Each structure stands twice: as structure tokens, then as C-alpha cells.
Amino acid sequence: MKMKLCLRKSICLLLLAASIPNVMAQEVAPKNDESQVKVYSILWQQTAAEYRALCYQAFNLASLRINDIPRRQLRKGNLAIVTDLDETILDNSYVGAQLIKENKQMSGAEWDRWTAASKATALPGAVEFLKEAAKKGITIFYISNRETSAVQSTLIDLKRLGLPNADEAHCLFKSTTSSKEVRRNVVEKDYKIVMLMGDNLTDFSTAFEKNSIQDRFDKTDLDRKQWGDKFIVLPNCNYGEWENALYDYQRKTDGEKAQMRLNLLKGY
């Protein structure tokens, strides 16, 4: 009788032990796998000293470039730097991190909620560089694909961070099209653009808009002498035109996206 009782207890304990991993897996498994895809890229931006070093490197190089501008050109007062905002001047990794924690994907509504909160911080070196440029008499224009409805909440961030030219006249946000060429042309009517800054190649030229991965490579190679000269690129592995190119600029299901990413990986 005692042997049977011990045997029953042993079986119950084995069944209980076998069920624990399943219960734990259910507790920690994300409700939305696609929302978890960017965990490492967000962590890299928020925790990697290498990311900070790349930002400082970009702004240090930009500083060298504006120091090369002859004084006679600076005295004309018509020089401008056109810069993107998100992941070029402003760090928005916080919204990505929050969505991962909540098992949500980015949407227009989630992005609007974030920008309305005015909680962005500056990329390392961004504020110092733009202040240096403004001190030299260079005007700063912020060409962003944030909606025009977000101008006021964005200005709260820009002013809090002490960025120059933080006013509506220098914030050219998206109204009808995401292409920035028209807005760059507006600046060029009265100013000579001496530098373009961005984390996305479409921040520099329409040539990079909706191109295949290989076309983006080829066109980047053609402009090789511009990178680090007139074109200053900031690191962003969270999102951008490069991500759209992965999916051929088409709407895909989460499953389709996962498969396309696997298909693009090059092993040995």
C-alpha cells in the first residue's frame, strides 16, 4: 500500500514538473511576435556605448565640415543646414521600447500619442553641433515627416533642448507628401544648403525613394564622396526606408514579413 502511494506521488510530481515549463512559456510568450522583432535594435540604441560613439563621430565630422567654410561665405548670412529630426536630432527609442513592453506594434495613433507627449531626448552631440553652427551664422531648418499637427508639441522638445531656430518658420513638416524634395526646394529659394543630415537616405535625395535593396546600394556607391562631406548620416537600425525595402514597399502579414526576412539572410 505504501509503495503504491509513493508511486502515485512520484507520478503526480513528474506531471507537475512537466507542466511548469508550459505554464512559464505561456506567461512570458509575447502576445504579438512581430512587436518583439525590434528588441535588440532598441536595446542597441538605448544601451550600446558604440551607438553613442557613432553619433559623436557623425557630429564631430559635421563640425569639421562647417569649420572648413570660408569666412567670406559665412558673412553672407545665407547658409543653411537642413536636418531631419527623428533619430537624427531626437531620440524616439522610448516609444519603441514601450510598445515592445505592451506587445503592440507601431501605428499612426501610437506615434501621435508619443509626439504629443513631448518627451524626446537629443542624440549625443546633436545640440552642441547645431548650436555651434548657429553661432557661425548658419540657419537650421528642420525638415521632418512628422505631421504638421505635431509642430507645436515638437517645438516644446526643441525649445526644452535649447536647439536653435526652434520656431514654426524653421519646421517644415509633412502636409501632403512624405518626399522632402519640395521642402528642400523651399529652403533653397533663399539659402544655400551646405549640409544635409539624416538617418534615412531619403533625407538626402529623391534618388533613394522606393528603390530595391540593390538599387539603394548602387546609388549609395554613386554618392560615395558625399557621405561625410555634405551628407551626414546618423545610425538608425530601428526603422526607415531600408525596412520598407525588405518588404518591397508592400503591406505584408506578420507571417509574410518573417519569411521575407529569413529569405534575405545570407549565410555561408
Side-chain angles (χ1 to χ4, degrees):
M1 186 69 178
K2 289 183 179 180
M3 186 176 293
K4 287 183 179 180
L5 185 60
C6 288
L7 182 60
R8 287 177 182 174
K9 286 183 177 179
S10 297
I11 292 172
C12 288
L13 288 171
L14 286 170
L15 290 172
L16 178 61
S19 68
I20 289 174
N22 291 331
V23 171
M24 291 177 66
Q26 290 174 3
E27 289 177 350
V28 301
K31 300 173 185 176
N32 186 337
D33 290 338
E34 191 66 20
S35 72
Q36 305 299 302
V37 168
K38 299 188 179 184
V39 169
Y40 275 98
S41 60
I42 295 290
L43 281 173
W44 183 73
Q45 185 169 339
Q46 294 189 340
T47 68
E50 290 81 358
Y51 168 76
R52 296 181 69 82
L54 286 170
C55 292
Y56 284 128
Q57 178 174 269
F59 290 118
N60 287 343
L61 184 55
S63 181
L64 290 173
R65 292 294 170 260
I66 63 170
N67 285 336
D68 287 339
I69 299 173
R71 289 184 180 180
R72 64 180 181 276
Q73 288 189 28
L74 291 169
R75 283 196 293 265
K76 292 180 180 179
N78 67 334
L79 303 185
I81 290 175
V82 167
T83 181
D84 173 54
L85 277 175
D86 300 312
E87 274 52 69
T88 300
I89 303 299
L90 299 179
D91 181 347
N92 303 285
S93 62
Y94 314 99
V95 62
Q98 188 62 36
L99 291 177
I100 289 169
K101 290 184 175 183
E102 295 177 2
N103 292 299
K104 295 179 180 178
Q105 292 189 46
M106 180 61 76
S107 65
E110 293 292 348
W111 177 251
D112 290 345
R113 184 175 68 168
W114 160 250
T115 57
S118 303
K119 291 184 177 180
T121 58
L123 266 66
V127 176
E128 294 84 352
F129 168 70
L130 292 182
K131 283 183 174 180
E132 177 189 357
K135 190 175 180 179
K136 289 180 176 292
I138 301 173
T139 304
I140 314 300
F141 285 92
Y142 305 99
I143 296 185
S144 169
N145 276 344
R146 290 188 174 201
E147 302 289 342
T148 53
S149 58
V151 168
Q152 294 305 320
S153 59
T154 304
L155 283 174
I156 293 174
D157 278 336
L158 302 189
K159 291 176 180 178
R160 171 172 49 80
L161 295 169
L163 290 166
N165 299 118
D167 54 51
E168 289 187 39
H170 293 86
C171 289
L172 306 183
F173 286 16
K174 183 177 74 173
S175 57
T176 56
T177 176
S178 59
S179 175
K180 296 183 174 181
E181 186 68 11
V182 173
R183 285 169 279 168
R184 286 192 288 263
N185 290 340
V186 169
V187 175
E188 286 185 318
K189 288 180 180 179
D190 299 309
Y191 294 86
K192 178 183 178 182
I193 298 175
V194 293
M195 183 176 290
L196 293 159
M197 309 186 75
D199 63 299
N200 195 341
L201 298 189
T202 54
D203 294 326
F204 305 95
S205 170
T206 55
F208 296 104
E209 293 179 5
K210 295 189 176 180
N211 285 175
S212 68
I213 293 171
Q214 187 57 54
D215 285 342
R216 298 182 85 242
F217 281 176
D218 293 342
K219 291 177 180 180
T220 299
D221 292 345
L222 285 174
D223 282 336
R224 60 170 59 86
K225 291 185 178 180
Q226 296 275 38
W227 311 114
D229 187 13
K230 185 176 181 179
F231 296 167
I232 302 295
V233 186
L234 279 298
N236 179 9
C237 61
N238 292 326
Y239 63 88
E241 194 80 356
W242 68 269
E243 185 179 20
N244 295 330
L246 297 180
Y247 312 122
D248 297 324
Y249 301 90
Q250 298 176 17
R251 289 184 179 276
K252 301 290 183 180
T253 64
D254 291 352
E256 289 171 334
K257 287 181 178 180
Q259 188 60 56
M260 292 178 82
R261 289 193 296 268
L262 285 175
N263 292 343
L264 285 166
L265 289 172
K266 295 180 180 179
Y268 63 91

